[in-house]
Each structure stands twice: as C-alpha cells, then as structure tokens.
Amino acid sequence: MTLNLKICFCTDGDFWFTNLNVLFDKTRSLYEGAEIRYICTSNDQTLRFSLVAIGDYTACKRAAKDLLESLICNIKTSRYYIVDDLCKFLIPAHDVLNGIEKEFEYCDTIHGNYEGTFLHLAWV
C-alpha cells in the first residue's frame, strides 16, 4: 500500500518553519521496510511538502506522523495566534493516522490570509 501526504502552506510571510533542510530525515531506521520519497520546496510565501511512503504499514504511518510532528514543533511566527490555527490544521491529520488500518482519505484547508493552504493525506 501507499501513503501520500501533500501539504502546501501559503504563509503570506507571517510564519515559517525552522530547519527546513533537516525537518524530516527519510533515512531513519524507524522507516525500515518502506520506501520513502520526500520533497520540500519553498519560495517567499509558499512552502510545499510531499511525502510518499510505500511498503510496510507501520513504517509508512510513522514517517507521515514524524513529518507532521516536525512541522508542529518547528512553527515560527511573530503572530502567535497562527500557532493555534496551524496546530488545529495539523493535529487532526496526525490523529487520523493513529486509528487508521485501511484505505482512507483526509483533506483540510485554511482560508483567509492563508488561502490556498491545504493538506491531503491518503492511504491507498
């Protein structure tokens, strides 16, 4: 089976994540048994994350959970209400992974100043 996690943040310059180049390490031994493809791209106001995990169910799920946890732990902003908004956006996706053992799809978006921000998580 394959787990796909795609996230796009339209930041409007109001938030960012520290250590983008070390935010997720696809070579961790926790992911043994899964082929992990991870891409992070950014420009002035858009951050895109793509994780595709193929193989062992537990390893794939652990990789997606680790990326979501890293994003939550590395939010930086001078507008602290954004931290709450982003946690309310990311934590439900993390929670979905805790209880899933079959095919599923989860999507969410943020509107307002951050229009275009989305998260798509699918296990197929």
Side-chain angles (χ1 to χ4, degrees), residues 3-6 24 36-38 49-53 63-64 67:
L3 188 142
N4 292 297
L5 174 60
K6 297 196 182 322
F24 179 79
I36 309 293
R37 297 181 210 138
Y38 170 71
F49 298 89
S50 174
L51 183 137
V52 177
L67 176 56

Side-chain angles (χ1 to χ4, degrees), residues 58-120:
T58 302
C60 292
K61 194 161 88 165
R62 180 76 253 160
K65 288 173 72 172
D66 283 353
L67 176 56
L68 291 166
E69 289 168 8
S70 288
L71 291 170
I72 291 165
C73 292
N74 287 285
I75 298 167
K76 297 296 179 199
T77 183
S78 59
R79 295 175 170 91
Y80 290 97
Y81 63 89
I82 294 172
V83 174
D84 184 51
D85 292 345
L86 292 174
C87 285
K88 287 177 182 174
F89 176 68
L90 294 169
I91 289 173
H94 184 275
D95 291 347
V96 164
L97 288 166
N98 286 331
I100 296 302
E101 295 189 23
K102 58 182 178 172
E103 292 183 12
F104 73 93
E105 185 172 27
Y106 174 85
C107 301
D108 199 1
T109 59
I110 296 178
H111 301 287
N113 282 356
Y114 312 109
E115 189 74 37
T117 294
F118 72 88
L119 181 148
H120 182 255

Side-chain angles (χ1 to χ4, degrees), residues 7-9 11 15-17 20 41-42 45-49:
I7 307 171
C8 175
F9 293 100
T11 69
F15 66 92
W16 62 96
F17 298 91
L20 276 181
T41 59
S42 65
Q45 296 190 7
T46 305
L47 298 165
R48 296 180 187 276
F49 298 89

